[in-house]
Amino acid sequence: MMRLRTIPLAVSFAAATMFLAACGGGVTTEGGGGGPKGAGTGSAKDGGPSGRDAGAFADSGTKDEGTIDDGTEDASDLPGVSDLSDRSDPSDVAAPQDAGADAGGTDGGVLPGLSVGPSGYYLRLDGKPVILVGDSLTQGWMELGADFNYVEYLDALSSRGLNVVMIWSYIGITDQRDDERIGYDAPEFWPWNGGPGKFDLNSLNPVYFEQLGEFVRAARARDMVVLITVHDGGVKWRFDGHPFNSALGGPLADKAGYVELDDYGAEAPAAFDPSWRWQKKNQFFQERFCERMIDTLKGFDNVMFEMFNEGEWYDQGNLLKHQTHFLSFFRKRTDAITAVNDDHVLAGDYQGNPECDVITNHSPRWDAMPPARDFFDHYVAAFGKTPPKPCFFSEPVPEFRGEADRLDALMRMAWGTALGGAGFVLQNDASFGFDTKAAIASKAAERDAALDRLGHITKVLDDPSLNIEAMRPDAAVAAGLPALCERGRMYIVYVESQKSVTLDLSDAPGAFDARFFDPKTGKPGPPVEVSGGAKRSIDKPGTDDQVLWVVIRK
């Protein structure tokens, strides 16, 4: 497995200047009316696997009524999972069991893959502390199915230095033609088999898990983390098309029942009994789905599982117990990083739960296009909680649909979050356009402009001269502006309308080199020499937003 991509820069500011000069580069409505779209191994249009040969994935023989049929033994045995030569450079692909096999050169014998760093504040990828910044595709990967060009999508992220992609495990589907992002009957991948309009939750669909494995493998080959939201599937707004709806073969007569399990303190039996009450069936189907997902991805070290998508509309006591149950379920089976969308569980706090590794938030909202400081302050507060845990902004609301007039606002949101020490993904519905049939493909230019802006963040934060583990959010050092710094050595400050930056270098004697750069383009301004030992005012060039990078001279 390849090591984490880094830009080969020296620690010197001269090298940083060269890097900055290279930074210049080239944007959910979850609604949907009507009845459910036909369910099956692929699209309801043909009843077969979406865009694939049905024979390759047909069920083998009859299944025992008392056990769930997962359709396959292991993801690595499935066609396509062990051979991506028709989708990406074969040299970029390693077998799951070899993930990170050549990463033995990491400092201090740190294991490859994704882990929590020693301070508890940051994640590590292949031994390198990281603040993850990337894109959220939500359900687009499964809803668009074989028409979605996931290789082109991941290449678009990777080429910009983005290091994380977020996906939802699935979503209920109603009318894709009426969805302004999609506009046609797309060939989705469902986790379960079944006939038109009817799911068989006792029969898992191997096509879905093959595609999931392919996606994660391709991301790992590009040194990218995949954050997967496991539970819900749009119950609140897509229940008419949700596989757990009793009208479609599921156990739930009411959407509020999704978080009701038969026994929150124990797992369901391994063998299914059709005489069970609905809560036990609900628990069984959810657990078997999670078990198959874990088994599919068990060889990959770049996966993070977010237990649930929001959920404040459920009974909060049941939601709390549901997430606690599945944290234990996952921890029992995998060492992968786990996360909880803590700001939407109103009945509890997961900061102190040892089975929860990362705290995710879906706030603050950015409807009014607030300044970077709003996001910075929110995540500084989260950063300061004990015990420390990495924080992640996993769903900015509202979604981005390629609105050109929101590009600057999303740039401020992302910078404010990252300088607050938290990871970030843009909820980017415009990325559905990597399916060229999708209606939102017309927003490719705005989508790419948004990705460019995010890429300028990672090109700074991934610079090897930064010691992320030692850096802390610190607005006081920059007179209230969002700043991430290792005091006495390095400072990164986001500047909006201010004409200058007052940087407190009182406890930092010596000479510093400073340079502004444009967060829209990544282009650097002229270098500035700054003397330490006091508060220094540094004039900002122009009136547009700028990022100030100050580093001690070697």
Side-chain angles (χ1 to χ4, degrees):
M1 178 55 61
M2 299 188 306
R3 295 286 303 280
L4 177 66
R5 177 181 298 103
T6 56
I7 302 169
L9 301 178
V11 175
S12 70
F13 188 77
T17 299
M18 293 171 62
F19 158 69
L20 287 173
C23 285
V27 160
T28 302
T29 305
E30 303 304 348
K37 180 173 177 176
T41 57
S43 169
K45 296 190 289 289
D46 58 15
S50 303
R52 298 181 182 270
D53 176 8
F57 304 104
D59 287 344
S60 55
T62 59
K63 62 179 182 290
D64 185 313
E65 259 186 10
T67 59
I68 194 162
D69 177 14
D70 66 6
T72 184
E73 301 238 340
D74 187 274
S76 61
D77 298 327
L78 289 169
V81 172
S82 58
D83 180 10
L84 291 178
S85 59
D86 60 334
R87 295 177 179 268
S88 60
D89 183 351
S91 66
D92 282 344
V93 181
Q97 61 268 28
D98 295 328
D102 67 348
T106 54
D107 294 338
V110 177
L111 292 175
L114 190 66
S115 62
V116 177
S119 71
Y121 291 115
Y122 299 109
L123 291 168
R124 284 186 166 194
L125 184 57
D126 295 341
K128 177 182 171 64
V130 290
I131 295 176
L132 297 172
V133 177
D135 198 55
S136 173
L137 184 61
T138 59
Q139 77 273 14
W141 76 279
M142 62 76 55
E143 187 167 7
L144 299 168
D147 287 349
F148 182 77
N149 192 332
Y150 71 90
V151 170
E152 183 182 357
Y153 172 61
L154 293 175
D155 280 344
L157 305 187
S158 177
S159 67
R160 293 167 168 87
L162 300 177
N163 51 23
V164 62
V165 57
M166 180 175 179
I167 59 175
W168 294 352
S169 61
Y170 68 95
I171 196 169
I173 298 175
T174 52
D175 186 354
Q176 292 172 321
R177 292 185 180 91
D178 193 45
D179 187 326
E180 64 186 36
R181 299 165 299 180
I182 301 173
Y184 79 105
D185 189 13
E188 67 278 350
F189 296 114
W190 286 110
W192 297 276
N193 291 312
K198 207 78 169 179
F199 293 93
D200 180 359
L201 298 188
N202 263 313
S203 178
L204 291 165
N205 175 19
V207 177
Y208 169 92
F209 293 99
E210 174 213 349
Q211 182 68 9
L212 179 62
E214 287 184 357
F215 189 97
V216 172
R217 183 192 303 276
R220 187 57 173 105
R222 291 155 178 81
D223 299 318
M224 296 178 65
V225 171
V226 181
L227 171 57
I228 302 173
T229 302
V230 178
H231 281 288
D232 194 351
V235 170
K236 180 181 180 180
W237 59 89
R238 292 279 192 94
F239 190 61
D240 285 350
H242 197 283
F244 278 65
N245 189 332
S246 59
L248 303 181
L252 305 182
D254 185 273
K255 60 187 177 183
Y258 187 87
V259 296
E260 292 190 40
L261 306 181
D262 181 66
D263 188 345
Y264 295 98
E267 295 180 12
F272 181 74
D273 184 342
S275 68
W276 284 341
R277 67 184 192 137
W278 68 265
Q279 290 93 339
K280 197 164 190 174
K281 293 179 182 178
N282 185 43
Q283 180 173 346
F284 176 84
F285 294 139
Q286 290 185 32
E287 289 179 355
R288 297 292 75 77
F289 168 67
C290 291
E291 190 170 54
R292 185 69 187 106
M293 177 180 288
I294 294 166
D295 189 56
T296 297
L297 303 178
K298 63 186 177 185
F300 296 104
D301 57 8
N302 62 320
V303 178
M304 177 162 53
F305 294 107
E306 183 183 55
M307 292 296 107
F308 212 96
N309 179 53
E310 299 182 354
E312 67 273 15
W313 50 86
Y314 292 112
D315 177 273
Q316 290 301 292
N318 288 339
L319 177 63
L320 180 69
K321 291 184 291 184
H322 183 282
Q323 299 212 48
T324 301
H325 175 85
F326 277 101
L327 279 172
S328 297
F329 187 91
F330 273 73
R331 182 60 75 230
K332 179 179 177 181
R333 291 164 171 80
T334 178
D335 292 328
I337 295 294
T338 58
V340 168
N341 181 203
D342 193 54
D343 63 345
H344 284 268
V345 186
L346 308 181
D349 183 353
Y350 281 89
Q351 195 77 30
N353 187 321
E355 294 182 321
C356 173
D357 300 311
V358 173
I359 298 296
T360 66
N361 279 193
H362 290 186
S363 54
R365 294 182 65 97
W366 66 296
D367 311 65
M369 298 187 279
R373 180 65 192 261
D374 284 18
F375 303 98
F376 177 83
D377 286 347
H378 179 90
Y379 287 98
V380 167
F383 193 94
K385 291 183 178 180
T386 55
K389 288 189 176 180
C391 211
F392 200 98
F393 195 176
S394 63
E395 188 174 308
V397 179
E399 69 282 352
F400 178 69
R401 293 199 170 189
E403 303 92 341
D405 62 351
R406 299 184 72 83
L407 287 168
D408 287 354
L410 73 83
M411 176 180 72
R412 295 182 186 115
M413 172 172 59
W415 273 104
T417 301
L419 295 186
F424 176 87
V425 287
L426 176 66
Q427 186 183 184
N428 192 357
D429 285 2
S431 285
F432 282 38
F434 284 96
D435 170 2
T436 57
K437 296 180 183 178
I440 206 165
S442 64
K443 292 291 187 178
E446 293 82 0
R447 173 200 71 210
D448 290 349
L451 296 178
D452 286 343
R453 281 164 164 76
L454 297 180
H456 300 321
I457 303 174
T458 57
K459 285 184 173 74
V460 170
L461 297 181
D462 284 350
D463 185 283
S465 68
L466 272 69
N467 180 8
I468 290 290
E469 194 69 55
M471 299 185 80
R472 298 291 182 266
D474 187 355
V477 79
L481 298 179
L484 185 69
C485 70
E486 181 185 356
R487 282 203 177 218
R489 181 175 177 270
M490 186 169 293
Y491 306 80
I492 303 170
V493 185
Y494 195 84
V495 193
E496 293 182 45
S497 60
Q498 296 81 5
K499 295 181 180 180
S500 63
V501 179
T502 299
L503 197 62
D504 188 355
L505 300 175
S506 301
D507 56 356
F512 289 79
D513 291 303
R515 185 180 288 267
F516 285 96
F517 74 93
D518 187 340
K520 297 179 186 178
T521 66
K523 293 180 179 178
V528 178
E529 182 179 335
V530 179
S531 297
K535 291 183 179 180
R536 304 297 182 188
S537 180
I538 308 171
D539 291 336
K540 183 185 77 171
T543 59
D544 290 340
D545 291 14
Q546 295 283 313
V547 173
L548 175 64
W549 190 355
V550 179
V551 61
I552 194 165
R553 182 174 293 172
K554 295 295 185 180

